[in-house]
Amino acid sequence: MYAPVSDTQGGFDPALFLQKDSMTQPPELAESGDDLFEFQQELPPISPLPSGLDPRQLPVKINSISDLGPNPTEEAYASALVHGRSIHLPFLHPRTHSIPAGSITFYSHHPKLLALFTHFASHAASSLAIPISKVIMLPTERSLWTVIRAPFAYKKSQENFERKTHKRMIKAWDADPEVIDRWVKYLEKHSMGGVGIRVTKWERLPIGIGKTRLARVKEAFKVPVLDGVSSADAKLLEVRQEGDSDANRKQAIQALGEKILKEELRSSKEARSSAAAGTGTSGKPSTAQGSPSNSSAANKQDEGDVKAKVVSNKEIKPKSVPGKK
Amino acid sequence: MGLRPNIRVLRDMKARQGVLDNEVTRRAYLFVARNQNLPPQVRHQAQLQLNTFGRYTRPTTVKNRCYASGRGRGIMSEFGLCRYQFRLKALSGLLNGVKKASW
């Protein structure tokens, strides 16, 4: 039997322990809400939401999404309390400019998988605020095979097999290409077995993109001009690389004209210098050496004379080249 | 190689490999032989060279065979199976999306 301990050397008195105090008794329940607060707080005035809904009336309890009306705002849709919320269609954001941004086509052999995945995809797009269409039903493709049942003979008893490919489509407008990419990446991450997707995207590029790209590509393909090549030849090469066109032909003629002019001037200079050299040297070695030197000198002189003659016949002035200013 | 390779399957495999190896050469000779702008002697020579190729280099010797049974007839290219094997697999549900048709 238990005997009460009289001495308090252990520091434990059961009587004290069993005493009733605030710790052991339940608290007094407040009778009304006013007792909970010592003072009444002045609440700020509640302004209605931009859509016109009163926050104190939210959430709006409705029986189905169609109770919201033909064109509900996103706020009204989001604040509505309806049974089976996740199975309803997502809020379709209104298109701002109706500019196509992309479209996703879903393929499957089983329509129920498609229903689930398209529902998921449309909710994802709605969360990203991409204006999308409702799920579009595309015509089903069907392949049929008729095979003989038996492995050998018995042509008259056959069996039909088919494979149906069901297709759905969701179109998207107006969103940035980055947002569309994100949506697609999200779908790829959470893709479903048995459903394939095909994404078509439209991107907009600035006006004049063709010219800038062409110029860039041409630069990349240009053959670098070597050091030994003269500037006229280099220009000709450059012009030839660009191909055939009216403007190019003009440039080609100009370049060719410049080249001919340069060559002519050079040849005329050479002729003059050789003529001068020929007249200078022909007098000295004529007596000293035999016929070869004489002949060579004579040849040189003849050449010089011929060149001089040729030079004199030709006009030293530059020819008028068509297309040159 | 399929589940039941017979000698014809092996021959077909050899033919496919040979065609792969010789395709470029054959096409070159064929181009020369069929080219109207080349002199006839050259074309004739090219044609003779073409005739020297063996049977395991000609694309006409390649024939689809059933990968399950090795059968040469009644093949459906989409599945690589002969008609009976296709039926067996379809009824077992081993072919994706294929089911008994009824309408």
Side-chain angles (χ1 to χ4, degrees):
Chain A
M1 290 295 285
Y2 173 71
V5 176
S6 54
D7 62 309
T8 54
Q9 280 186 356
F12 177 67
D13 187 9
L16 269 174
F17 185 66
L18 297 166
Q19 226 173 35
K20 283 189 180 176
D21 58 11
S22 61
M23 294 291 285
T24 55
Q25 296 296 71
E28 276 178 21
L29 291 171
E31 282 181 27
S32 70
D34 294 338
D35 294 352
L36 289 169
F37 300 100
E38 283 180 359
F39 59 95
Q40 282 290 333
Q41 252 181 344
E42 269 246 344
L43 297 169
I46 294 170
S47 55
L49 293 167
S51 57
L53 293 169
D54 186 11
R56 283 171 291 190
Q57 306 300 324
L58 296 175
V60 177
K61 196 164 185 184
I62 52 172
N63 289 322
S64 76
I65 295 286
S66 52
D67 289 352
L68 289 170
N71 291 319
T73 59
E74 194 178 4
E75 267 180 332
Y77 179 91
S79 52
L81 183 72
V82 63
H83 179 66
R85 181 65 189 279
S86 62
I87 63 164
H88 290 290
L89 288 176
F91 174 73
L92 297 176
H93 292 267
R95 299 179 228 166
T96 56
H97 301 87
S98 292
I99 297 166
S103 71
I104 304 184
T105 317
F106 305 85
Y107 302 83
S108 179
H109 297 305
H110 311 285
K112 287 190 180 173
L113 298 178
L114 273 180
L116 177 59
F117 197 61
T118 50
H119 176 86
F120 171 71
S122 42
H123 270 276
S126 182
S127 308
L128 287 165
I130 303 170
I132 47 162
S133 65
K134 290 186 197 169
V135 177
I136 301 159
M137 310 289 198
L138 298 173
T140 308
E141 284 178 357
R142 179 173 166 243
S143 308
L144 185 81
W145 298 280
T146 311
V147 290
I148 303 171
R149 283 177 199 257
F152 177 74
Y154 307 109
K155 179 69 187 293
K156 290 183 187 176
S157 85
Q158 293 176 354
E159 197 170 10
N160 288 323
F161 292 98
E162 70 181 357
R163 180 166 60 189
K164 283 185 173 172
T165 306
H166 303 271
K167 300 194 268 193
R168 305 279 183 270
M169 190 195 237
I170 296 177
K171 290 183 182 175
W173 291 275
D174 297 327
D176 275 350
E178 275 182 41
V179 177
I180 301 284
D181 281 338
R182 238 169 230 232
W183 179 38
V184 169
K185 213 164 187 180
Y186 184 70
L187 293 183
E188 279 172 9
K189 192 182 173 190
H190 300 282
S191 58
M192 225 167 120
V195 177
I197 60 173
R198 170 179 285 169
V199 179
T200 312
K201 262 180 54 182
W202 285 274
E203 281 189 27
R204 263 107 205 138
L205 297 167
I207 291 170
I209 189 74
K211 263 189 196 167
T212 49
R213 272 196 186 162
L214 186 66
R216 226 191 305 148
V217 166
K218 274 188 178 174
E219 269 305 314
F221 274 104
K222 251 185 181 167
V223 176
V225 177
L226 302 165
D227 289 337
V229 178
S230 67
S231 60
D233 286 333
K235 199 172 178 191
L236 255 179
L237 262 175
E238 215 183 86
V239 163
R240 272 200 199 125
Q241 276 172 26
E242 282 169 33
D244 198 25
S245 69
D246 285 337
N248 208 38
R249 244 175 263 132
K250 206 175 175 185
Q251 272 190 14
I253 291 161
Q254 270 184 356
L256 196 63
E258 279 170 27
K259 186 178 179 183
I260 292 164
L261 176 67
K262 256 197 173 172
E263 277 182 22
E264 277 183 27
L265 287 173
R266 204 194 322 134
S267 65
S268 68
K269 269 190 194 168
E270 277 176 15
R272 265 184 253 153
S273 63
S274 66
T279 48
T281 53
S282 61
K284 289 176 194 173
S286 56
T287 50
Q289 289 176 8
S291 45
S293 63
N294 267 342
S295 59
S296 65
N299 281 341
K300 271 189 191 168
Q301 203 176 15
D302 286 340
E303 277 175 18
D305 287 341
V306 164
K307 274 189 182 167
K309 278 183 190 172
V310 165
V311 163
S312 61
N313 282 341
K314 278 188 186 172
E315 284 178 313
I316 296 169
K317 284 180 194 171
K319 282 187 194 165
S320 60
V321 175
K324 195 175 181 179
K325 287 177 190 172
Chain B
M1 208 179 291
L3 303 167
R4 201 183 148 196
N6 56 29
I7 186 64
R8 289 173 202 267
V9 168
L10 294 169
R11 275 194 232 159
D12 183 60
M13 282 163 62
K14 192 170 177 181
R16 281 170 196 267
Q17 189 60 45
V19 165
L20 180 72
D21 295 336
N22 293 282
E23 189 184 1
V24 179
T25 329
R26 276 192 69 88
R27 276 187 184 275
Y29 278 125
L30 202 70
F31 172 73
V32 172
R34 302 277 187 269
N35 197 340
Q36 305 276 11
N37 300 327
L38 294 173
Q41 296 83 8
V42 172
R43 288 177 67 185
H44 188 60
Q45 281 298 311
Q47 188 59 52
L48 291 174
Q49 284 293 319
L50 262 181
N51 296 343
T52 62
F53 280 81
R55 78 178 116 144
Y56 293 119
T57 60
R58 289 193 288 270
T60 47
T61 45
V62 165
K63 173 85 181 67
N64 279 347
R65 291 215 153 243
C66 176
Y67 74 79
S69 63
R71 196 162 190 264
R73 288 187 160 88
I75 309 297
M76 297 154 80
S77 310
E78 211 172 331
F79 301 95
L81 292 167
C82 71
R83 54 168 195 249
Y84 183 61
Q85 288 296 325
F86 167 77
R87 179 168 170 262
L88 289 179
K89 286 188 192 290
L91 291 170
S92 309
L94 298 172
L95 301 177
N96 192 20
V98 178
K99 55 181 190 185
K100 272 182 70 74
S102 165
W103 69 95

